[in-house]
Amino acid sequence: TKENIQEAVAFVEEKVQAGGGTNIDSALTTAIALAPRESKRPFMIFFLTDGEPTYGVTDPKQILANVQKANVQNLRIFTFGVGTGLNAKLLDQLTEQNRGDREYVDFKENIEVKVSSLFDKVSSPVLHDIQIEFPKLQTVTLSEIYPKAFPDLFKGAQISVVGRYSGNGDQAIKITGLVGEQRQEFVYEVNFPSKMLDNHQIPRLWAVRKVGFLLDQIRLEGESAGLKEEVVKLAEEFGIVTPYTSYLVVEDDIRITGGRPRPIVNEEQAPAAPSAVWRERVRSAPEPAAEAKGAASDMETASGEGAVKASRALQSMQKAQVADAVTDEDKADAKKTSEWMRKIDEKTFYLKANVWYDSSYDGKAAKTRIRYMSQEYFDLIKHNPGIGKFLILGSAIVVVFENKVYEIHP
């Protein structure tokens, strides 16, 4: 109303003073204190800041603990970081722990547009406190579902969920959530086939999301050997090459050589497994090594331009709707790697000593050798129609198909 607007303007003019400090803790606890304690409706806080905590409680861990201590049911915190001189890790942890979303606005972007678009979205909630259940899973086992926690659903938005399953059969999926304060339930019958020949991009989309989730864990909570190895393994298998995956592979080289690339291994020597190709290519290429050094710094730092860059990049991976390059930057990166890495449907191939190796080949399994363009070659395609799309790579290929390894040779 006109009266409320006048009252708000008067409050800002008379009582709000810019003292040069940033009291994040007091701002958040004051806002949380306004929340109703019994309501089932989400209570949303929009936190805009251009800096780090410099006044009052300045320890990020203590600020997070104080927010958790407030223990407001259905609290949502949406953070807006303006510029780059701020604590991106703190803002990201606030949103992760309180089921909100994060947004960063640099000096070239219009903050009014970004804030307005979020307010437009959240002004029309459809479903919150969403849970997805699989009540009749006698014949299907599900695992590694992303996102881990389901965000609220707003008008015009969608939530896509990816995961892995084993087994097959018809199953029921139950989705529950609150509309206002009323719980609603939706049940869908879904078939999980034993083999799906369509939608080959889904495995790589799942891998991109998982890598984004794992890298964010490393960035916010610290690196562990298990997390690092899992990221590297997925990156190798699905051909996910970004500075944020590469740095895990080349970081030891960086520490030893100060960023100078290692020489590539003997090109005539066949690799023990395609992973050797991936690792050596990433290690030996000067540009990825330099990028990886910067990415390592971005991942480790809490504040500044690099921290904001890392946050935006990893959030993009976690929310990916398509598996492969969509931006001009992504396409440029894909072009750089196309000389030594190719993606065909669900498979990734690496070039080593003029041979294209399937990333799922472990280097140990026995190979069936077939001469290129021989009668045996055409018989292979005739009896295994799905293999043809992989053989377009050329006359020297090692491919795993239907649990068998075929070596096509000139």
Side-chain angles (χ1 to χ4, degrees):
T1 64
K2 183 178 179 180
E3 291 74 24
N4 279 340
I5 292 172
Q6 290 174 342
E7 186 179 345
V9 171
F11 174 82
V12 171
E13 289 179 345
E14 296 170 12
K15 295 188 178 181
V16 177
Q17 301 296 324
T22 304
N23 194 337
I24 289 176
D25 182 75
S26 181
L28 290 172
T29 53
T30 299
I32 292 171
L34 300 174
R37 289 305 188 261
E38 303 300 327
S39 175
K40 293 181 180 179
R41 294 176 180 272
F43 181 77
M44 299 180 186
I45 293 175
F46 298 88
F47 179 48
L48 293 87
T49 182
D50 65 347
E52 297 199 42
T54 60
Y55 184 76
V57 178
T58 57
D59 179 12
K61 290 183 179 178
Q62 188 59 53
I63 293 172
L64 292 168
N66 289 346
V67 171
Q68 290 295 311
K69 189 178 178 182
N71 196 28
V72 174
Q73 188 178 13
N74 288 319
L75 177 64
R76 307 286 191 269
I77 297 181
F78 296 83
T79 60
F80 272 81
V82 183
T84 57
L86 41 75
N87 192 318
K89 281 192 178 180
L90 172 59
L91 300 186
D92 293 353
Q93 286 171 319
L94 281 168
T95 58
E96 289 297 311
Q97 294 176 12
N98 296 282
R99 293 188 290 174
D101 205 354
R102 65 207 202 208
E103 184 70 76
Y104 291 96
V105 187
D106 65 32
F107 296 114
K108 297 177 183 177
E109 296 176 299
N110 189 321
I111 186 172
E112 183 178 348
V113 171
K114 292 244 181 175
V115 174
S116 297
S117 65
L118 177 62
F119 269 90
D120 287 343
K121 182 178 82 170
V122 302
S123 64
S124 301
V126 176
L127 203 64
H128 65 94
D129 194 26
I130 297 172
Q131 304 292 327
I132 301 181
E133 301 174 32
F134 303 88
K136 299 193 301 179
L137 292 180
Q138 293 94 346
T139 60
V140 176
T141 302
L142 292 152
S143 62
E144 300 187 90
I145 294 174
Y146 297 93
K148 289 287 187 183
F150 303 113
D152 296 334
L153 182 64
F154 299 96
K155 183 180 178 181
Q158 66 176 11
I159 302 170
S160 61
V161 181
V162 292
R164 305 188 72 167
Y165 76 89
S166 59
N168 63 88
D170 294 323
Q171 302 292 340
I173 294 179
K174 182 169 74 172
I175 300 174
T176 61
L178 291 172
V179 178
E181 297 193 4
Q182 300 297 315
R183 184 157 292 279
Q184 300 288 327
E185 181 178 295
F186 310 89
V187 179
Y188 302 91
E189 294 293 329
V190 178
N191 176 258
F192 289 86
S194 57
K195 181 184 291 186
M196 185 182 291
L197 300 179
D198 299 325
N199 301 321
H200 293 297
Q201 291 297 308
I202 288 179
R204 187 170 284 114
L205 174 60
W206 168 85
V208 167
R209 287 218 189 157
K210 182 174 181 180
V211 166
F213 173 79
L214 293 175
L215 285 175
D216 220 26
Q217 264 194 300
I218 291 172
R219 188 176 71 92
L220 298 177
E221 300 171 19
E223 183 184 304
S224 70
L227 285 176
K228 173 181 174 179
E229 191 54 40
E230 201 169 0
V231 169
V232 172
K233 182 180 177 182
L234 284 167
E236 291 169 354
E237 181 179 353
F238 292 96
I240 303 170
V241 181
T242 72
Y244 300 98
T245 52
S246 301
Y247 101 89
L248 291 172
V249 179
V250 302
E251 62 176 341
D252 291 335
D253 291 4
I254 290 168
R255 288 168 184 159
I256 293 168
T257 67
R260 295 186 301 278
R262 251 187 211 173
I264 196 162
V265 296
N266 184 354
E267 286 285 0
E268 300 305 317
Q269 178 186 4
S275 61
V277 183
W278 190 87
R279 290 170 187 261
E280 289 302 332
R281 288 293 188 186
V282 171
R283 283 192 179 112
S284 63
E287 203 168 344
E291 286 181 3
K293 185 176 182 181
S297 175
D298 293 348
M299 291 279 286
E300 291 166 3
T301 187
S303 306
E305 184 176 357
V308 172
K309 178 183 174 184
S311 175
R312 296 179 83 160
L314 298 184
Q315 187 181 36
S316 176
M317 293 179 75
Q318 291 178 70
K319 292 183 175 182
Q321 297 292 335
V322 294
D324 286 323
V326 286
T327 67
D328 290 340
E329 188 176 349
D330 290 335
K331 290 174 183 175
D333 290 340
K335 189 174 181 180
K336 290 178 191 174
T337 62
S338 63
E339 293 181 2
W340 57 273
M341 180 178 70
R342 299 281 175 84
K343 301 172 187 177
I344 302 176
D345 285 347
E346 75 278 13
K347 285 188 175 293
T348 303
F349 291 85
Y350 296 99
L351 184 65
K352 180 69 174 180
N354 297 317
V355 178
W356 286 102
Y357 286 87
D358 186 337
S359 67
S360 59
Y361 172 56
D362 63 5
K364 301 174 184 176
K367 302 189 290 285
T368 299
R369 298 189 82 237
I370 297 175
R371 187 165 57 85
Y372 181 61
M373 291 295 179
S374 65
Q375 185 58 49
E376 194 178 6
Y377 176 86
F378 290 109
D379 288 342
L380 174 67
I381 297 173
K382 180 180 179 180
H383 298 301
N384 301 273
I387 202 172
K389 60 190 173 187
F390 306 121
L391 301 188
I392 63 172
L393 284 169
S395 60
I397 309 165
V398 174
V399 59
V400 180
F401 190 79
E402 300 290 353
N403 297 319
K404 293 181 180 179
V405 183
Y406 298 96
E407 180 181 6
I408 308 302
H409 65 92

